Amino acid sequence: MKNNAKPKRAAAADPIFDIVDALIMAVVCVVIAYPLYYVLVASFTEPHIVTSGKFLLYPEQFYAGGYQRILKYPPIWSGYRNTVLYTVVGTVISLCVTIPAAYSLSRRDMAGRRFLMFLFTLTMFFSGGLIPLYMLIRGIGIYGSLWSVTLPTAVSVWNLIICRTFFETSLPFELYEAAELDGCSNFGFFFRVALPLSSTVVAVMILFYSTAQWNMFMNALMFLSDSDKMPLQVILRNLILINQVNQLSTDMTAVAEQQKLADQLKFGIIVVAALPLLCVYPFIQKYFARGIMIGSIKG
Amino acid sequence: MLTTGGKKNSASLLHKLTQTLSYNWQLWALLLPALIWLAVFMYAPMYGVTIAFKDYNSKLGILGSPFAGLKYFRQFFSTNIFYITLRNTLIVSGQQLAFGFPVPILFALLLNQLRFARFRKVVQTISYAPYFISNVVVVSILAVVMSPSGFVNGFIQSTGKAAVLFMTRPEYFRPLYVGSGIWQSMGFNAIIYLAALAGVPPDLHEAAIVDGASKIKRIIHIDLPTIAPTIIIMLILAIGNLMSVGYEKAFLMQSGMNTSVSEIVSTYVYKAGLVNAQYSFATAVGLFNSVINLILLSAANIVSRKTADFGLF
């Protein structure tokens, strides 16, 4: 009896595997988190220490000069304002279009819903492409406006599928039939029964759409023209990747000093751009995970 | 509702239609905004694709522009840029598939078997973080971390070697693109596998433990087969997206010095169309890209139907 029990427990526990697994996971965490942490620490550290290229664990010499300059740089603030505007407007439009449509497509008595769904899913795999969309945006006169960056992305078919699957699986058709017997219309049922029961999926949609809208870059670059309408992502790219940082530090005399400060400023700008989402995500990530799972129930 | 007779077929069809509409009109009203969106922003551009076969002239419009046949396709296929962009697209997305596809699966399998529940939660939360960061920020972080004064080069220099210009040298474009892609999406892509792993019946593991199977054996013989269908769906989708991957990131990582490897079909469409205003030519190139994509997706679907008896459509 004793002899039998021993290997059993060993197999169940498998300590070597557990230790190796934990070590691998710890390394994965460090590799994922360190670059983010490094940028944050570097943004608060004296420039000459940062540019010496060592691993930073904490700000060895505290320095906030980068942030002082960023605060005085107007395009960052106009970028922030635009990004918030586009995110709020874009998300509201997306919700108003996606959720009712998903409900309607989830109803099994909706005539032709398979065909309609096919029309939506087809666009996931085949689209007109960049140039026809650009010409359309110009043609219908929304080029350069708020609508050019919120309407083309109003529906994500992927989100529509997640939402529809949610309604299909969590709202029994019998519920509607019962409501109908009591004289409830489709509108009434959607607004007074379906929506209140769907706060999870609404939360997931808000998160998916607002993250996408906050991070939007290419559409803004293509469909907007005035520099004061550009969202934060475009400003950030101009400053860091096309190296326009020098504009922020014109009062420095020595060119080498100026370049050093310019390098330093990049860290602060990255932090300013990435921080809002990184602060919010720990609280919302479980909804993200849930959203993915809702969508994957039906494959 | 059964239709009554052959003669009245069209009349009864109309009758049926009005009846469903009057019964369901509110459902149609809820769907209407999305349908309008679909028609305007998805299907109207599909009609706009016809300019690939025309000499587009903005004064004449899409309909009025003269027919050009396959002129722009020939123009694209006859240039060197066709081979370069196609090769770059396939190599970078092929590498992304080869490395980026298995990593989330491996990560999910290992995370799922991690003993300590608290630690598992922490790892999972950290692993999602990069998914919330925009491509612009990711490429910016790459640029500062990989710069000659960043810590990666600091480490290389401390071993006595010279600093490497990661962001400008062409040979580093693909590793950085694929590597940062794994960094961005590993945790997020693992969610779907973790969800599937949660569905593994616990008695399978218990039985295997009784038989003395090690954890690695249980991962290979229990966990992996359970998530195989999910893996296949994700693989079909990934293959279907081979030609359309990450054009925003490629665009952001592009510099004058690495275009020999970083110019992919979609960044070329952007340049030809929006920078150089060659609308018809760029549309033709984009259409070529979409068609290849559709072919790849259908092929992956057929293969999966034949071999695994499972497909997306």
Side-chain angles (χ1 to χ4, degrees):
Chain A
M1 208 52 200
K2 247 183 188 174
N3 286 350
N4 269 347
K6 232 181 179 179
K8 211 198 247 178
R9 208 174 299 139
D14 218 340
I16 298 171
F17 177 90
D18 288 335
I19 292 168
V20 173
D21 193 5
L23 277 177
I24 294 174
M25 289 298 129
V27 170
V28 165
C29 284
V30 170
V31 169
I32 290 173
Y34 186 68
L36 300 171
Y37 181 71
Y38 172 84
V39 171
L40 181 66
V41 172
S43 70
F44 283 110
T45 305
E46 192 66 48
H48 72 265
I49 294 179
V50 176
T51 48
S52 70
K54 55 180 170 182
F55 289 94
L56 303 169
L57 292 177
Y58 58 93
E60 286 170 37
Q61 279 181 44
F62 188 79
Y63 175 79
Y67 286 106
Q68 283 170 5
R69 267 160 214 283
I70 292 167
L71 288 173
K72 287 184 208 139
Y73 189 63
I76 299 236
W77 297 112
S78 78
Y80 245 109
R81 198 193 56 224
N82 291 333
T83 294
V84 170
L85 176 72
Y86 300 155
T87 304
V88 171
V89 173
T91 307
V92 169
I93 294 176
S94 292
L95 293 178
C96 294
V97 178
T98 307
I99 293 176
Y103 170 72
S104 182
L105 290 168
S106 78
R107 280 278 297 273
R108 72 168 107 106
D109 56 337
M110 173 75 183
R113 70 172 189 141
R114 288 184 69 95
F115 174 68
L116 290 165
M117 209 53 222
F118 170 77
L119 286 183
F120 278 99
T121 27
L122 180 69
T123 63
M124 285 173 92
F125 305 108
F126 190 83
S127 69
L130 194 66
I131 308 301
L133 180 63
Y134 173 80
M135 287 167 54
L136 175 89
I137 301 259
R138 293 214 83 135
I140 58 177
I142 58 173
Y143 179 82
S145 74
L146 161 69
W147 311 115
S148 71
V149 287
T150 50
L151 290 180
T153 49
V155 178
S156 139
V157 176
W158 186 246
N159 288 349
L160 183 74
I161 293 173
I162 289 179
C163 226
R164 189 195 62 151
T165 311
F166 175 87
F167 285 130
E168 272 176 357
T169 50
S170 70
L171 286 181
F173 191 66
E174 292 70 33
L175 195 63
Y176 169 70
E177 285 176 330
E180 195 192 20
L181 281 179
D182 292 340
C184 186
S185 68
N186 278 314
F187 280 163
F189 186 76
F190 173 68
F191 288 109
R192 277 183 286 158
V193 182
L195 264 189
L197 286 174
S198 313
S199 52
T200 317
V201 84
V202 173
V204 170
M205 288 301 117
I206 292 175
L207 303 172
F208 278 154
Y209 277 122
S210 57
T211 311
Q213 199 71 34
W214 183 280
N215 288 337
M216 165 195 66
F217 166 73
M218 221 55 211
N219 281 4
L221 193 69
M222 289 187 294
F223 303 147
L224 295 175
S225 54
D226 303 345
S227 57
D228 63 338
K229 286 200 174 152
M230 290 299 175
L232 193 59
Q233 304 295 335
V234 176
I235 310 273
L236 181 73
R237 179 250 187 176
N238 290 346
L239 285 174
I240 297 191
L241 299 172
I242 325 191
N243 221 351
Q244 294 176 350
V245 177
N246 291 343
Q247 303 168 359
L248 273 86
S249 51
T250 40
D251 54 329
M252 300 296 285
T253 40
V255 178
E257 271 303 298
Q258 199 172 307
Q259 188 53 47
K260 230 175 195 179
L261 186 68
D263 286 341
Q264 168 70 12
L265 282 171
K266 291 181 178 179
F267 292 101
I269 300 166
I270 295 174
V271 171
V272 167
L275 210 59
L277 278 184
L278 280 182
C279 285
V280 181
Y281 105 89
F283 303 100
I284 58 178
Q285 50 103 0
K286 65 172 182 199
Y287 292 101
F288 260 79
R290 208 177 292 167
I292 297 276
M293 286 178 215
I294 293 169
S296 65
I297 290 171
K298 277 204 151 180
Chain B
M1 304 272 142
L2 287 167
T3 43
T4 39
K7 276 181 280 176
K8 290 180 184 171
N9 220 355
S10 65
S12 70
L13 198 74
L14 196 73
H15 175 70
K16 198 180 159 190
L17 196 72
T18 49
Q19 205 165 34
T20 43
L21 267 182
S22 65
Y23 168 63
N24 270 340
W25 73 270
Q26 291 185 333
L27 286 182
W28 283 94
L30 291 172
L31 186 61
L32 193 64
L35 283 182
I36 293 172
W37 172 85
L38 189 70
V40 173
F41 289 101
M42 287 288 144
Y43 285 92
M46 283 193 203
Y47 165 69
V49 153
T50 51
I51 67 163
F53 305 95
K54 291 183 167 192
D55 274 316
Y56 179 69
N57 180 329
S58 56
K59 283 187 205 112
L60 299 172
I62 296 175
L63 266 178
S65 295
F67 190 66
L70 297 174
K71 175 179 154 194
Y72 290 104
F73 292 91
R74 282 201 205 98
Q75 186 186 330
F76 179 51
F77 297 142
S78 65
T79 54
N80 213 7
I81 200 84
F82 163 66
Y83 295 104
I84 295 171
T85 53
L86 185 62
R87 191 197 62 201
N88 286 343
T89 309
L90 288 176
I91 291 178
V92 89
S93 54
Q95 286 182 353
Q96 185 158 272
L97 189 67
F99 299 104
F101 186 76
V103 169
I105 300 171
L106 206 62
F107 174 69
L109 289 172
L110 287 177
L111 186 64
N112 184 54
Q113 287 292 351
L114 196 60
R115 280 281 302 271
F116 322 98
R118 285 288 275 286
F119 185 39
R120 205 186 306 147
K121 278 239 164 73
V122 171
V123 175
Q124 209 178 349
T125 304
I126 290 178
S127 73
Y128 299 154
Y131 188 81
F132 295 81
I133 299 173
S134 70
N135 278 322
V136 181
V137 172
V138 168
V139 177
S140 299
I141 293 177
L142 261 185
V144 294
V145 163
M146 295 289 173
S147 81
S149 59
F151 71 78
V152 174
N153 268 312
F155 177 72
I156 291 173
Q157 281 167 315
S158 73
T159 63
K161 290 181 190 136
V164 182
L165 293 169
F166 285 107
M167 294 306 282
T168 45
R169 297 287 296 274
E171 64 266 39
Y172 295 109
F173 172 79
R174 284 171 193 149
L176 284 181
Y177 183 93
V178 173
S180 63
I182 294 174
W183 183 81
Q184 279 176 286
S185 57
M186 179 187 76
F188 194 74
N189 290 343
I191 294 177
I192 200 157
Y193 300 119
L194 286 168
L197 281 169
V200 175
D203 49 330
L204 281 181
H205 276 291
E206 281 157 21
I209 290 168
V210 172
D211 291 343
S214 69
K215 267 201 175 175
I216 292 177
K217 282 217 162 130
R218 275 152 49 203
I219 289 179
I220 295 171
H221 296 293
I222 300 173
D223 289 350
L224 204 54
T226 316
I227 62 170
T230 315
I231 294 178
I232 293 171
I233 307 178
M234 300 314 280
L235 190 63
I236 299 174
L237 286 172
I239 291 173
N241 279 323
L242 266 180
M243 291 292 285
S244 62
V245 279
Y247 115 88
E248 188 173 277
K249 208 168 89 184
F251 175 79
L252 287 163
M253 287 176 70
Q254 221 166 47
S255 70
M257 270 154 309
N258 66 12
T259 40
S260 61
V261 290
S262 65
E263 192 77 287
I264 58 176
V265 177
S266 38
T267 56
Y268 184 64
V269 170
Y270 173 81
K271 273 186 201 160
L274 298 189
V275 181
N276 301 332
Q278 300 168 290
Y279 290 151
S280 286
F281 176 65
T283 306
V285 177
L287 181 60
F288 164 78
N289 201 34
S290 300
V291 169
I292 298 271
N293 226 353
L294 208 59
I295 292 172
L296 285 173
L297 182 76
S298 318
N301 198 52
I302 289 168
V303 169
S304 136
R305 266 196 185 289
K306 285 249 163 80
T307 55
D309 196 26
F310 177 83
L312 274 181
F313 44 80

